[in-house]
Amino acid sequence: MISSFSIILENDVLYCSDENKYKAFEIVLFVEKLMKFFRWRLKNICLKSRKKKRERIIVEHVITNAGQNLFFCCVGNFSVGSQESFKMLKEFRNQVKTQYKDLARLKFASEEPTFKQVINLIIEYLKDKYLDLLEEEIIYDKDNNNVGNEILYAGISAQGLPIISQLYDNNLLSTLQREKTFENIELFSSDLSAKLATISMNTQIRAKTKIKEIHLDDTSNREIHNSKKVILFGNINGYSIDFIATGNFYKIKLVFKQLKAKMALDSAFKNEFSGDLRPFKHLKFYLDEVVKEFDQIN
């Protein structure tokens, strides 16, 4: 169940317990660039390999006193609703902090000859403590059914090029302190589409796997119940379909799955993308209708 642990500080993988999983942890670096767009904290990433094997990278995302992104990570076949896995990551962070008081200086600590030995001992302790707890854990759907469901963004791209990039919540621009003008919305949507496409492509190229989900926590909306955000990635004949949504994850995933199944029947996806956007224009209206229906789900 537990494959490997990692510690990542900004753009550096300071520690990886299994070198065979190093490229999987690089995906966190790809997603980290998206964090600069929003005040969101990374929670977990779901991956699916060509062998239909699913793995999940769970993350304890810390902002150090120096304002750095610090990630304590573990990869394994964890369930999306697992609570024990996040307890394990929190204890991982606390154990490392006990040994190295200033987390912002972990970069320097990682260069010490004893660093890997210390972290290895912590991980052996965590495996002994949590392996049985994880295997025996009963997963409950703790998503609040009363939380409003809303799709914030939907996009279609091919070969990293945006075809449709539609923003459904202009408030996302507020974190960038931009005016909600038509030009800024178009620029933001296109830039966001490119970033999502880059994450998807780099995951396939570097880790030889597909990214399916990214779960995040919106720290700017702590007082609001639907602070949880999810990014879903889909693929139809080489075309990428992306959603950013908030609300009940299981309902979001169901609607996304149904949308993919319907869109897969559209003739626009039958041929390789040639650069001509005209065959895809009608999909914008279809997306709008799906989003409108989804936002009304309770």
Side-chain angles (χ1 to χ4, degrees), residues 66-92:
Q68 303 162 304
N69 284 310
L70 175 61
F71 306 96
F72 294 91
C73 312
C74 183
V75 64
N77 60 337
F78 306 108
S79 299
V80 66
S82 171
Q83 299 298 306
E84 292 297 335
S85 61
F86 284 100
K87 289 179 184 177
M88 179 178 67
L89 260 290
K90 193 175 290 291
E91 186 164 359
F92 184 27

Side-chain angles (χ1 to χ4, degrees), residues 129-184:
K129 180 176 179 179
Y130 284 96
L131 194 57
D132 288 342
L133 293 173
L134 286 165
E135 290 179 349
E136 297 169 4
E137 183 180 18
I138 300 174
I139 307 297
Y140 298 98
D141 176 7
K142 291 193 174 183
D143 268 6
N144 188 345
N145 291 323
N146 297 320
V147 167
N149 299 290
E150 184 181 4
I151 293 174
L152 310 177
Y153 165 88
I156 301 171
S157 62
Q159 303 165 18
L161 300 174
I163 296 175
I164 295 175
S165 52
Q166 182 64 33
L167 192 65
Y168 293 99
D169 183 0
N170 294 342
N171 290 323
L172 290 181
L173 272 74
S174 61
T175 57
L176 300 181
Q177 298 180 340
R178 292 181 184 175
E179 294 183 31
K180 298 171 186 176
T181 63
F182 176 80
E183 291 77 10
N184 282 342

Side-chain angles (χ1 to χ4, degrees), residues 34-80:
L34 189 66
M35 300 297 99
K36 299 184 187 304
F37 244 44
F38 311 108
R39 285 184 293 175
W40 295 354
R41 299 282 181 90
L42 183 58
K43 300 296 292 183
N44 68 80
I45 302 169
C46 180
L47 307 171
K48 186 177 181 180
S49 69
R50 294 173 182 172
K51 298 179 180 179
K52 306 298 183 183
K53 179 183 177 183
R54 282 184 179 267
E55 285 191 313
R56 194 172 296 275
I57 303 173
I58 55 170
V59 182
E60 176 75 9
H61 183 177
V62 179
I63 305 297
T64 69
N65 292 333
Q68 303 162 304
N69 284 310
L70 175 61
F71 306 96
F72 294 91
C73 312
C74 183
V75 64
N77 60 337
F78 306 108
S79 299
V80 66

Side-chain angles (χ1 to χ4, degrees), residues 107-147:
K107 168 65 176 173
F108 303 103
S110 68
E111 296 170 356
E112 298 174 2
T114 58
F115 180 77
K116 189 168 185 177
Q117 296 173 2
V118 171
I119 305 302
N120 284 345
L121 288 172
I122 292 173
I123 286 172
E124 288 305 313
Y125 160 76
L126 292 173
K127 285 182 176 180
D128 288 341
K129 180 176 179 179
Y130 284 96
L131 194 57
D132 288 342
L133 293 173
L134 286 165
E135 290 179 349
E136 297 169 4
E137 183 180 18
I138 300 174
I139 307 297
Y140 298 98
D141 176 7
K142 291 193 174 183
D143 268 6
N144 188 345
N145 291 323
N146 297 320
V147 167

Side-chain angles (χ1 to χ4, degrees), residues 264-275:
L265 301 175
D266 196 287
S267 60
F269 297 102
K270 301 301 181 183
N271 300 315
E272 188 174 337
F273 182 57
S274 65

Side-chain angles (χ1 to χ4, degrees), residues 6-25:
S6 178
I7 301 174
I8 301 170
L9 181 64
E10 289 292 320
N11 293 319
D12 292 318
V13 179
L14 304 184
Y15 171 88
C16 180
S17 63
D18 183 351
E19 289 300 317
N20 292 323
K21 291 295 182 180
Y22 184 91
K23 291 181 179 179
F25 288 120

